[in-house]
């Protein structure tokens, strides 16, 4: 029960501090590590140097005595959990020292081994080597043995310390498991009730008698009289803070709300913390006043020490309910919606009250050491009450879900992340409901410790989840205030990332709530700092951070250099835009490669052991990634040879447009309808590419023109030549030309062929010339013909539904020309074959 109480206290303090829980964990870890290393940190730093002087032997003997004592304690298995934890801290200090000492001479050992290898192999038996080489080899080997001794001893000590720590953890877990599964007298058995009532009465009587006896003593009254001014001042402050503290905090929040300036949501949240802080300070003043009055005995003083914590729990639960109301926060676990706000707030405060009553009962058990039956009888009603409150909260959510499912026309526009979070909360709600039903059943049959270990962590989990919701919304308000986003940030990516980070940082608190020990967390943190091995390479947070920082610096410098080249240096040269882009891209690739290389070497990563993996990957590249490799190589060729450059107008694979970007895998082409097309680089190297602007932008425009028959061709040639020469984009050398292409079906066909200064303007030039040609033809009275067709009907009687040949002449069809007479003895065929089309030339001849 003592361990459970400590866990509950840790969880509650992490909930109510809000902005301080993350720092609390780091302080806990830091304090533990400080305690672990305070015994011999100086010896650890000088371990390797002390090997030659003999100090290492004395230090190692001290470790041996500590290890032997730890083994005797573990064999006896009679030490308390507190003594085992203290011994574990001492062993952890030794382990950290051995770890530091083992890593201290790494560079020196590597240098000595390299020097010995440089001398060559040891001569075979019967052969000798030069005396100076042999003497140097002997000296280096002696230095290597001396430098290796501390590392060998450190490795041995580290292994033994690690084994002892593992045994201590195993013993503590076994004891916790036995306590959890221990069965006590059933609280529902009426035979246990009289003893429980009698024990409770005795405890209350003992507290009352102690206080009454002290009040009856003259020394106590004298103490009160001598300290009366201080007592009155403390009591007055306590009464004001307890009675008016929350009112003052609400009034300050309302005042900020009336101001209406930006950021009031942030400041109102900070001011709302006074609703917890001011009453808590009032409780502290009241406890201090009672303490210095001397009216409580030993039992009362021990019980009074935890009173500020209990008050903090109650004030924080009420404050969380108000924050949920202000922010209108709700989810599957906390159904805080308008129709159930009051009920949920009452349930939250009631759960906190039950938790405080259990803490008081646990404190009384520590002071008076209740009988197992008495403790079970007093604890089970609280467990049952907590279970009923949790079930009630679950029923509220189920009823709300049923109402939501019956509503018509409601659209679900939640994203995938929101849906996933909602499902996780729904699963957690069902788990809470199941645990709330299981806990009182276990307590009723005598497993009261298991019931306590289930029901109260559930309450703390609800409190922690609620705190995370409120804290996430507060951080979103800060983001809203800093970015001046009037729409709020609760639905932004920042809110999602904040929720993820808060959930990740809350994992240690969840672990503490559900029974993890602080030493378990520090052990995980130590292993994380120690790192892990990949072959002969050791990866640790320090090495990883070094790599990331150096690579990030190199990457930033590369991008700055690219920006300077692109905007300042290269535009002042005569290099074309394609060449400038190739230079900038090449600098980027080289800079990133060098940044990665320097980061790897500086961090001390030995990648030689990954050669086998690289060989295996090369096989996969040769088969599965050959297309990607081909595009990569093609991209390098494009950047070096530059058959296609950025800004070129090209045509490849039926696509035409401008090259906007060339990367190592693909090239982005912007078509004339403003769509981006990603073309693999291998298509540009192996396929046929038409580059209209390669080297220069000079190109030809062809403008076709048709005029009616009977027009003077030489006059048309003269007009078209004048139109071509008058356009400013047309070059006079070579001069434009007019070509008489031939006699078309409907017109005399001509073409203007001219060389333009910039072929990118070919459509505009063609449009301008067409406008000018139409204007000149109207002025000169020149006709631009259109296609003409004459239609005649071979058997018109077929359209009238006649079945035999007609003796009468067929009617003249409607049209520009008469129809031809039908042939004699020609059968009637009323279908589309009876209709034929002749061109305009025949029609003109008929006319």
């Amino acid at each position: 029960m003592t361990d459970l109480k400590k866990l509950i206290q840790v969880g509650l303090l992490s909930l109510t501090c809000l902005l301080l829980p993350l720092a609390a964990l780091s302080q806990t870890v830091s304090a533990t590590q400080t305690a672990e290393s305070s015994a011999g940190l100086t010896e650890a730093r000088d371990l390797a140097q002390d090997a030659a002087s003999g100090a290492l032997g004395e230090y190692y003997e001290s470790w041996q005595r500590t290890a032997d004592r730890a083994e005797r304690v573990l064999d006896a298995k009679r030490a308390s959990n507190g003594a085992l934890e203290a011994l574990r801290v001492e062993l952890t200090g030794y382990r950290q020292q051995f770890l530091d000492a083992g890593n201290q001479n790494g560079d020196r050992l590597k240098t000595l081994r390299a020097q010995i290898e440089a001398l060559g192999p040891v001569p075979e038996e019967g052969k000798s080597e030069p005396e100076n080489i042999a003497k140097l080899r002997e000296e280096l080997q002696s230095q290597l043995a001396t430098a290796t001794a501390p590392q060998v001893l450190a490795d041995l000590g580290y292994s033994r310390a690690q084994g002892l720590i593992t045994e201590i953890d195993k013993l503590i877990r076994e004891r916790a498991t036995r306590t959890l599964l221990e069965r006590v007298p059933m609280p529902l058995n009426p035979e246990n009730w009289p003893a429980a009532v009698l024990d409770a009465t005795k405890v209350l009587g003992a507290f009352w008698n102690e206080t009454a006896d002290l009040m009856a003593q003259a020394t106590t009254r004298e103490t009160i009289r001598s300290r009366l001014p201080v007592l009155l001042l403390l009591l007055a402050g306590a009464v004001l803070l307890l009675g008016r503290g929350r009112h003052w905090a609400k009034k300050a929040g309302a005042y900020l709300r009336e101001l209406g300036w930006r950021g009031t949501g942030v400041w109102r949240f900070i001011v709302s913390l006074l609703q917890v802080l001011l009453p808590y300070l009032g409780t502290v003043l009241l406890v201090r006043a009672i303490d210095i009055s001397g009216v409580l005995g030993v039992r009362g003083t021990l019980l009074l020490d935890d009173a500020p914590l209990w008050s903090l729990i109650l004030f924080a639960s009420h404050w969380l309910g108000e924050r949920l109301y202000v922010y209108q926060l709700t989810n599957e676990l906390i159904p805080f919606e308008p129709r159930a706000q009051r009920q949920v707030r009452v349930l939250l405060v009631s759960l906190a009250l039950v938790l405080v009553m259990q803490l008081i009962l646990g404190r009384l058990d520590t002071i008076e050491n209740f009988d197992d039956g008495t403790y079970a009888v007093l604890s089970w009603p609280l467990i049952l009450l907590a279970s009923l409150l949790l079930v009630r909260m679950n029923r509220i959510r189920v009823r709300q879900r049923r109402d939501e499912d019956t509503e018509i026309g409601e659209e679900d526009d939640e994203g995938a992340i929101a849906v996933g979070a909602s499902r996780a909360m729904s699963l957690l709600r069902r788990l809470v409901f199941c645990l709330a039903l299981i806990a009182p059943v276990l307590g009723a049959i005598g497993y009261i410790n298991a019931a306590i270990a289930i029901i109260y962590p559930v309450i703390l989990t609800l409190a922690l989840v609620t705190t995370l919701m409120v804290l996430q919304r507060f951080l979103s308000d800060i983001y809203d205030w800093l970015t001046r986003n009037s729409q709020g940030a609760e639905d932004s990516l920042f809110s999602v990332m904040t929720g993820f980070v808060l959930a990740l940082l809350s994992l240690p608190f969840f672990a503490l709530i559900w029974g993890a020990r602080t030493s378990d967390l520090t052990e995980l943190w130590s292993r994380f700092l120690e790192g892990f091995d990949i072959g002969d390479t050791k990866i640790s947070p320090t090495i990883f951070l070094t790599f990331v920082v150096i690579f990030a610096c190199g990457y930033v410098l590369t991008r700055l250099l690219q920006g300077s080249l692109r905007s300042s240096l290269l535009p002042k040269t005569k290099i074309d835009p394609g060449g400038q882009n190739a230079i900038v891209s090449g600098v980027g690739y080289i800079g990133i490669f060098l940044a990665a290389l320097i980061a790897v070497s500086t961090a001390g990563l030995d990648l030689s052991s990954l050669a086998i993996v690289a060989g295996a990957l090369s096989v996969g590249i040769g088969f599965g990634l050959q297309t990607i490799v081909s595009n990569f190589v093609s991209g390098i060729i494009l950047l070096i040879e530059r058959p296609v450059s950025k800004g070129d107008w090209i045509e490849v694979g039926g696509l035409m447009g401008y090259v906007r970007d060339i990367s190592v895998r693909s090239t982005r082409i912007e078509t004339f309808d403003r769509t981006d097309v990603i073309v693999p680089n291998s298509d540009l190297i192996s396929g046929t590419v038409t580059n209209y602007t390669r080297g220069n932008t000079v190109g030809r425009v062809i403008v076709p023109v048709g005029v009616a028959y009977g027009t003077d061709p030489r006059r048309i040639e003269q007009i078209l030549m004048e139109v071509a020469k008058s356009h400013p984009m047309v070059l006079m050398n070579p001069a434009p030309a007019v070509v008489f292409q031939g006699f078309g079906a409907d017109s005399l066909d001509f073409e203007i062929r001219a060389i333009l200064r910039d072929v990118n303007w070919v459509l505009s030039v063609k449009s301008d010339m067409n406008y000018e040609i139409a204007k000149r033809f109207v002025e000169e009275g020149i006709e631009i013909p259109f296609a003409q067709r004459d239609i005649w009907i071979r058997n018109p009687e077929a359209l009238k539904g006649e079945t035999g040949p007609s003796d009468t002449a067929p009617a003249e069809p409607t049209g520009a020309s008469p129809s031809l007479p039908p042939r004699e003895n020609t059968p009637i065929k009323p279908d589309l074959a009876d209709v034929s089309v002749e061109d305009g030339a025949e029609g003109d001849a008929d006319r």
Side-chain angles (χ1 to χ4, degrees), residues 477-493:
D477 286 344
I478 294 179
Y479 177 80
D480 178 17
W481 177 39
L482 295 177
T483 59
R484 299 183 179 275
N485 181 13
S486 59
Q487 300 298 325
E490 56 270 13
D491 296 327
S492 64
L493 178 62

Side-chain angles (χ1 to χ4, degrees), residues 216-486:
Q217 295 178 5
T219 55
T220 303
R221 293 194 295 270
E222 181 63 27
T223 301
I224 293 176
R225 283 195 298 269
S226 62
R227 300 176 179 176
L228 186 59
V230 178
L231 290 175
L232 292 177
L233 183 61
L234 292 176
L235 289 176
V239 170
L240 286 176
L241 293 176
L242 288 173
R244 304 293 296 175
R246 296 184 67 255
H247 174 72
W248 292 340
K250 289 183 178 181
K251 190 173 181 180
Y255 176 74
L256 289 178
R257 191 179 300 110
E258 293 176 356
L259 292 179
W261 47 280
R262 288 189 53 82
T264 53
V266 176
W267 301 119
R268 284 201 303 267
F269 178 87
I270 297 175
V271 171
S272 69
L273 293 176
L274 296 176
Q275 299 182 27
V276 178
L277 182 60
L278 295 181
Y280 174 73
L281 291 178
T283 305
V284 173
L285 294 179
L286 181 60
V287 169
R288 181 58 179 166
I290 296 174
D291 185 31
I292 65 175
S293 65
V295 297
L296 295 179
V298 177
R299 294 183 177 86
T301 302
L302 293 176
L303 190 64
L304 194 65
D305 291 340
D306 291 341
L309 173 63
W310 302 333
S311 66
L312 183 62
I313 295 172
L314 296 176
F315 298 142
S317 63
H318 191 275
W319 176 83
L320 283 176
E322 288 192 349
R323 287 296 94 193
L324 292 177
Y325 171 75
V326 171
Y327 288 147
Q328 294 296 311
L329 298 176
T330 182
N331 57 24
E332 289 286 336
L333 193 60
I334 310 295
F336 205 81
E337 295 186 353
R339 290 171 293 183
Q341 288 179 355
R342 184 176 182 83
Q343 298 182 50
V344 175
R345 292 176 66 177
V346 172
L347 289 175
L348 290 177
V349 176
S350 300
L351 287 172
L353 183 60
V354 172
L355 183 60
V356 169
M357 294 174 66
Q358 180 63 38
L359 290 176
I360 294 174
L361 181 59
R363 187 61 171 170
L364 290 175
D365 179 54
T366 303
I367 297 173
E368 299 294 337
N369 194 14
F370 287 136
D371 182 73
D372 290 340
T374 299
Y375 186 72
V377 170
L378 297 177
S379 298
W380 189 81
L382 298 176
I383 296 174
L384 180 61
L385 180 57
S387 176
L388 294 176
L389 294 173
L390 293 174
V391 171
R392 176 59 180 170
M393 185 176 294
N394 180 76
R395 289 187 61 185
I396 292 175
R397 179 54 194 163
V398 172
R399 185 174 65 252
Q400 291 179 354
R401 173 61 68 89
R402 190 182 303 114
D403 295 340
E404 292 173 359
D405 294 339
T406 57
E407 291 180 358
I408 301 176
E410 181 180 358
E411 297 182 358
D412 186 9
D413 57 351
E414 293 183 344
I417 297 178
V419 171
S422 178
R423 290 178 179 175
M425 284 294 180
S426 179
L427 180 61
L428 183 59
R429 176 180 58 81
R430 294 186 179 93
L431 180 61
V432 168
F433 176 72
C434 294
L435 294 178
L437 296 179
I438 293 173
V441 175
L442 290 176
I445 62 178
Y447 294 100
I448 197 70
N449 293 327
I452 291 174
I454 290 176
I455 196 67
Y456 294 110
V458 168
I459 297 176
L460 292 175
T461 299
L462 289 176
L464 184 54
V465 170
T466 305
T467 303
L468 293 177
M469 293 167 56
V470 173
L471 186 57
Q472 181 186 13
R473 183 58 181 272
F474 172 62
L475 295 177
S476 298
D477 286 344
I478 294 179
Y479 177 80
D480 178 17
W481 177 39
L482 295 177
T483 59
R484 299 183 179 275
N485 181 13
S486 59

Side-chain angles (χ1 to χ4, degrees), residues 26 49 67 114 141 162 331 342 412 529 574 597 647 667 792 818:
S26 61
Q49 290 79 3
Q141 289 179 347
Q162 182 64 36
N331 57 24
R342 184 176 182 83
D412 186 9
L529 294 179
K574 296 182 180 180
L597 189 63
T667 297
W792 57 273

